[in-house]
Every structure is written in structure tokens, then in C-alpha cells.
Amino acid sequence: MKRKMKDTIEKIRSMFDGGDTDEKREDLVFVTVPATQVVDCLGYLRDRAGYRHLVMISTVDHIERGVFQLTYLLHSYEKHHDIGVRAEIGRDNASMDSIHHLWAGAQVYQRELREMFGIDFPGSPRVDEPMLLEGWEGIPPMRRDFDTKKYSEETFFPREGRVTVDPATHMAGKNYAGEELVKRSVKEMVRGRRKRKGNDG
């Protein structure tokens, strides 16, 4: 990790109850802070540490632990460093403070997270308006408990002439035809031996 970035990370950890750090490259580090500290931490990075560009906001659905992990990725043009600020919020009635007052463009990411994961950002402009899923009802489609297969079966009618195949078998036969032929031959040979052995016994 570069010296200036290391100093910035240490300040974040001391000022905002920062926890784990995850160094991906010497110029890309992620640091975890409590959700209640995120807005202040991002404001510090923008105004005091030179990380003026909000690259993106994303989330990971950790359904096993019942949390969403939000990540705010910032870039410093002067230092050519990226810092990702991570925070976790509960999946039930998920809600997070908006940062549109720090970066106007944040409202777009927040609308997307609202629509795709159901995370609310109270006060964020147009956060309740659909971006892509006009008329969508039910569970947001990027949450891991959304059943894609069930939705497809209920929404799209079957087309004439369309067949369903097992993806693993189909791809193995298409890409590894020679190997599949050998496998089938070996299986038939083994079955034949077992059958003969059973008849002899």
C-alpha cells in the first residue's frame, strides 16, 4: 500500500471506527466502517483527502448473514488511488442514508439499488421512480431470494419447437464430443462386465 494511502486509511480507522481493510492493489484498498459513519467518512474523503470522484455504489447480498454489503468507490485524480468504503446494513427493511448532497450523481446509483435490491435511500431524488422495471411488482430481481426460474415460467409462454436440455450434458457433448464418446464407451463396458458377472454368479 502506498504511503499516502496508508495514512488516509489509518485516519479513517481512527476517526470513523473503521474495521477491516482489504488491499487489492497498492493503489486500491477497501475499508469497512459502521453504516452510521459512512456519510461523514465519505465527506471527509471528498473534502479533506482529495477523493473527489464517486466512481460507483454497489452492493452484495449476503443472504446467509441477513445483510447487504454496500461499497462506495472513490478516486483521487491527484494521487491516482482508489478507496472503497464498505458498510453493512440489514436486509429486512433495508435503508441507508443518502449521499446525493455530496455527489449529485449518487442519486442514479441509489435509484438503481432501490429498484434492483429494495434498499431505500430516504430523501434521495426520484428514488421511488422506476428506472428500468416499469410496472414491476414483487421482490426486487437482484436479491438472491428472487426465483428467476419461477418468474420465467410464470411470465413467458413456451414457444413452439423450443426444447429444453440439461446445460452440462449439452455443453459437454458440444465442446468435448470425443471425451463424451470415450465416457459412454467406458460406462457401457463397465455395465456389461457387471451384468456378465451377475449372470455368472
Side-chain angles (χ1 to χ4, degrees), residues 109-198:
Y109 297 112
Q110 293 176 162
R111 281 181 68 192
E112 183 181 23
L113 293 175
R114 169 72 170 163
E115 186 168 65
M116 296 296 175
F117 292 90
I119 301 172
D120 193 16
F121 295 87
S124 185
R126 304 173 62 192
V127 72
D128 292 321
E129 296 180 20
M131 289 185 69
L132 301 172
L133 307 176
E134 189 173 348
W136 183 270
E137 294 181 357
I139 187 171
M142 294 299 288
R143 293 175 72 115
R144 287 178 55 199
D145 44 352
F146 175 73
D147 190 335
T148 307
K149 185 172 184 292
K150 181 174 181 286
Y151 174 81
S152 297
E153 291 171 348
E154 293 175 350
T155 305
F156 305 109
F157 58 88
R159 289 181 290 182
E160 186 177 347
R162 186 174 183 178
V163 296
T164 301
V165 297
D166 175 61
T169 305
H170 177 73
M171 294 308 293
K174 185 174 181 180
N175 295 332
Y176 309 104
E179 288 87 343
E180 281 299 297
L181 184 61
V182 171
K183 279 185 189 176
R184 280 201 297 271
S185 299
V186 170
K187 284 181 181 176
E188 288 172 5
M189 188 171 62
V190 171
R191 286 179 188 144
R193 283 185 180 174
R194 286 178 180 164
K195 189 174 180 182
R196 286 195 298 275
K197 192 174 179 181

Side-chain angles (χ1 to χ4, degrees), residues 40-155:
D40 290 340
C41 178
L42 295 176
Y44 167 81
L45 286 169
R46 187 192 71 164
D47 299 335
R48 305 287 297 277
Y51 290 83
R52 295 185 179 85
H53 178 63
L54 173 67
V55 179
M56 67 171 186
I57 310 173
S58 67
T59 192
V60 177
D61 184 358
H62 292 290
I63 191 171
E64 299 85 357
R65 296 193 290 120
V67 298
F68 287 117
Q69 181 191 62
L70 288 162
T71 298
Y72 301 78
L73 188 62
L74 307 182
H75 179 73
S76 168
Y77 289 107
E78 293 80 16
K79 301 169 186 169
H80 302 291
H81 296 169
D82 294 302
I83 289 181
V85 176
R86 291 174 173 163
E88 292 186 345
I89 58 174
R91 290 181 88 249
D92 295 336
N93 300 314
S95 180
M96 184 64 186
D97 293 335
S98 174
I99 61 164
H100 70 277
H101 60 290
L102 296 176
W103 289 277
Q107 64 177 289
V108 177
Y109 297 112
Q110 293 176 162
R111 281 181 68 192
E112 183 181 23
L113 293 175
R114 169 72 170 163
E115 186 168 65
M116 296 296 175
F117 292 90
I119 301 172
D120 193 16
F121 295 87
S124 185
R126 304 173 62 192
V127 72
D128 292 321
E129 296 180 20
M131 289 185 69
L132 301 172
L133 307 176
E134 189 173 348
W136 183 270
E137 294 181 357
I139 187 171
M142 294 299 288
R143 293 175 72 115
R144 287 178 55 199
D145 44 352
F146 175 73
D147 190 335
T148 307
K149 185 172 184 292
K150 181 174 181 286
Y151 174 81
S152 297
E153 291 171 348
E154 293 175 350
T155 305

Side-chain angles (χ1 to χ4, degrees), residues 11-41:
K11 284 185 180 177
I12 291 173
R13 296 185 70 179
S14 64
M15 293 172 64
F16 303 103
D17 300 325
D20 296 337
T21 58
D22 182 8
E23 182 179 351
K24 296 296 184 185
R25 301 191 310 260
E26 66 174 5
D27 59 351
L28 173 61
V29 178
F30 294 87
V31 59
T32 302
V33 302
T36 54
Q37 298 283 312
V38 166
V39 176
D40 290 340
C41 178

